[in-house]
């Protein structure tokens, strides 16, 4: 597609509910990244894929967070048993280049998750 | 891991004046330094980037300078316009590591 597409755009979840956030990267982009952006803060790294391989998941805050990209294209970030501190905007970004030469990321519009 | 500090957190300038935002980083192996602009409720958008083999890059009213020895880089916006008002983020990468972002600078251009 023309850009990185994320869905849903907004999600309200009751505390304890499981949620799944979807990211459609730009076609052909090798690298895919998930970031969490709290209100008034910079994006914080969660996890990174190169094709279908999850190369780094060091930023996932707990074992309630899980991400996958089974066919090297669409990715899903799943949060189990959501808690209020999970409320944030979840940004997905993709990049044409794989390591070691970095390139600019193209971000999606994000999913704003509110846990009530 | 990499630590990125960004200053100032807020910046107000008169229309037509220049704005400068500075970032420092900790990992001397870092070699890629992009800047992103994020308008309220929108996605971060790449506005300029620089790699470690150059010291300065310019694109119309926007420029970035890099001092690898001191481990800092700066965004310069000249002739600011109201549409430059946004939050600006610096970021740093070491090549095969994901971008680490600063906490952002809220720029307000006053007409």
């Amino acid at each position: 597609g023309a850009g990185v597409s994320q869905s849903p755009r907004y999600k309200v979840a009751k505390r304890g509910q499981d949620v799944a956030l979807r990211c459609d990267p730009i076609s052909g982009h090798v690298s895919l990244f998930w970031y969490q952006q709290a209100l008034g803060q910079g994006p914080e790294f969660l996890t990174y894929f190169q094709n279908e391989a999850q190369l780094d998941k060091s930023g996932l805050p707990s074992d309630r967070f899980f991400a996958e990209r089974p066919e090297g294209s669409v990715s899903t970030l799943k949060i189990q048993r959501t808690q209020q501190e999970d409320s944030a905007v979840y940004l997905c970004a993709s990049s044409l280049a794989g390591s070691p030469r970095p390139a600019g990321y193209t971000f999606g519009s994000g999913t704003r998750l509110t846990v009530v | 891991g990499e630590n990125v500090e960004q200053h100032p957190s807020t910046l107000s300038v008169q229309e037509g004046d220049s704005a400068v935002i500075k970032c420092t980083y900790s990992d001397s192996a870092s070699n890629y330094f992009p800047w992103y602009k994020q308008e309220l409720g929108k996605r971060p958008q790449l506005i300029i980037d620089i790699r470690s083999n150059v010291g300065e890059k310019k694109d119309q009213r926007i420029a970035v300078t890099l001092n690898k020895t001191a481990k800092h880089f700066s965004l310069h916006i000249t002739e600011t316009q109201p549409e430059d008002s946004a939050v600006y983020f610096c970021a740093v990468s070491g090549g095969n590591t994901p971008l680490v972002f600063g906490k952002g600078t809220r720029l307000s251009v006053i007409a």
Side-chain angles (χ1 to χ4, degrees):
Chain A
V4 178
S5 178
Q6 291 188 247
S7 61
R9 186 76 175 88
Y10 302 93
K11 176 68 179 178
V12 178
K14 291 185 178 179
R15 189 170 53 184
Q17 185 179 352
D18 296 350
V19 298
L21 313 180
R22 177 187 170 102
C23 174
D24 276 279
I26 293 173
S27 178
H29 274 197
V30 170
S31 301
L32 185 146
F33 307 84
W34 284 99
Y35 283 80
Q36 181 189 61
Q37 187 174 26
L39 189 64
Q41 299 295 314
E44 295 279 346
F45 171 73
L46 294 177
T47 187
Y48 155 50
F49 292 85
Q50 188 169 322
N51 296 307
E52 69 279 3
Q54 189 173 21
L55 298 188
D56 188 343
K57 56 181 181 179
S58 62
L60 296 177
S62 76
D63 59 7
R64 296 185 297 103
F65 287 71
F66 171 77
E68 61 183 3
R69 193 187 186 197
E71 297 179 358
S73 178
V74 171
S75 177
T76 303
L77 175 66
K78 298 178 180 178
I79 309 173
Q80 297 178 321
R81 304 182 303 281
T82 52
Q83 300 177 5
Q84 284 190 320
E85 59 261 33
D86 299 335
S87 296
V89 175
Y90 290 84
L91 293 167
C92 175
S94 69
S95 173
L96 181 61
S99 64
R101 180 169 174 80
Y105 297 0
T106 301
F107 280 91
S109 295
T111 294
R112 181 178 296 277
L113 173 65
T114 303
V115 181
V116 298
Chain B
E2 178 67 87
N3 183 44
V4 179
E5 300 281 342
Q6 183 172 346
H7 299 281
S9 57
T10 61
L11 179 61
S12 291
V13 298
Q14 292 289 330
E15 182 178 0
D17 287 351
S18 295
V20 181
I21 303 170
K22 300 180 180 180
C23 283
T24 61
Y25 61 98
S26 59
D27 189 347
S28 57
S30 294
N31 59 7
Y32 177 63
F33 310 90
W35 285 89
Y36 286 81
K37 176 183 180 181
Q38 187 175 32
E39 298 179 33
L40 189 63
K42 297 191 175 180
R43 71 188 76 192
Q45 292 194 302
L46 178 68
I47 55 172
I48 195 167
D49 58 8
I50 193 168
R51 301 182 191 278
S52 59
N53 57 341
V54 298
E56 184 173 359
K57 183 177 179 181
K58 191 172 182 180
D59 182 4
Q60 299 183 345
R61 297 186 298 107
I62 295 173
V64 56
T65 58
L66 171 65
N67 183 328
K68 283 219 73 179
T69 303
K71 290 188 279 191
H72 68 72
F73 58 112
S74 300
L75 176 71
H76 304 254
I77 306 174
T78 58
E79 300 171 24
T80 53
Q81 302 168 3
E83 52 265 38
D84 294 330
S85 296
V87 179
Y88 291 82
F89 295 98
C90 64
V92 177
S93 170
N96 60 353
T97 57
L99 287 175
V100 176
F101 286 81
K103 293 190 181 301
T105 297
R106 182 175 299 279
L107 174 65
S108 299
V109 180
I110 303 165

